[in-house]
Amino acid sequence: MANEIINTGDGALSIITHGGELGDVLKPLTKEIFLFDSHIAGTTHLEDGSVLDEVKEGDQVILQREDNKYDKRAIVIFDSKMRKLGYVPERDNVVFSRLMDAGKCLTAKVSKKVTEGWFVRIGIKIYMVDF
């Protein structure tokens, strides 16, 4: 038997899993809604800047709210190994922090990486994951 979603006829749906996880059923129902182009700020202040050497176009990055004394709307950006890459720029984080605080799932992908001498500029595309 496969996992299935059943219309119960009263406007509701029932999800039946057979040896699988609920996420296995829901994953095909998710979509990423593109919200905004931005970049990773604060890359020059990292304790270990070598993490930026591994970042490449197309990489999925993780956005997480942070309790930050300098910016009450701070959103920190991690790579897939949970190594800090920087932040969503303060000028861009107002709406995204509100969405995240309201329980919305946001994610981002690296859209470009440009190295100019010692400086690395990493562009990102921010998405909202919708079910």
Side-chain angles (χ1 to χ4, degrees):
M1 273 188 179
N3 296 330
E4 48 192 319
I5 300 175
I6 299 171
N7 184 341
T8 60
D10 59 358
L13 298 175
S14 293
I15 299 174
I16 301 174
T17 62
H18 299 280
E21 299 286 329
L22 182 60
D24 296 334
V25 176
L26 295 178
K27 190 170 185 175
L29 301 176
T30 63
K31 61 183 174 185
E32 292 179 339
I33 301 168
F34 173 70
L35 299 176
F36 197 71
D37 279 310
S38 190
H39 68 278
I40 300 177
T43 56
T44 58
H45 302 290
L46 295 174
E47 287 182 25
D48 180 13
S50 67
V51 68
L52 301 176
D53 296 336
E54 298 179 37
V55 175
K56 58 188 180 309
E57 288 183 26
D59 283 356
Q60 186 91 26
V61 293
I62 299 160
L63 304 179
Q64 182 178 304
R65 289 285 275 123
E66 180 182 76
D67 185 17
N68 185 307
K69 66 180 179 180
Y70 301 106
D71 179 4
K72 65 182 178 183
R73 296 182 298 266
I75 301 171
V76 66
I77 302 173
F78 296 101
D79 70 0
S80 61
K81 296 176 184 174
M82 292 306 289
R83 296 177 296 184
K84 186 176 183 176
L85 301 175
Y87 292 88
V88 172
E90 186 175 3
R91 70 169 196 261
D92 296 343
N93 69 12
V94 175
V95 173
F96 303 127
S97 63
R98 288 179 185 166
L99 286 168
M100 293 175 83
D101 291 348
K104 300 299 180 186
C105 179
L106 299 186
T107 187
K109 293 179 185 172
V110 174
S111 58
K112 66 181 166 181
K113 179 180 174 183
V114 178
T115 303
E116 298 171 355
W118 57 270
F119 182 74
V120 179
R121 182 169 177 89
I122 300 173
I124 58 172
K125 291 187 176 291
I126 299 174
Y127 299 85
M128 182 172 67
V129 180
D130 191 28
F131 298 94

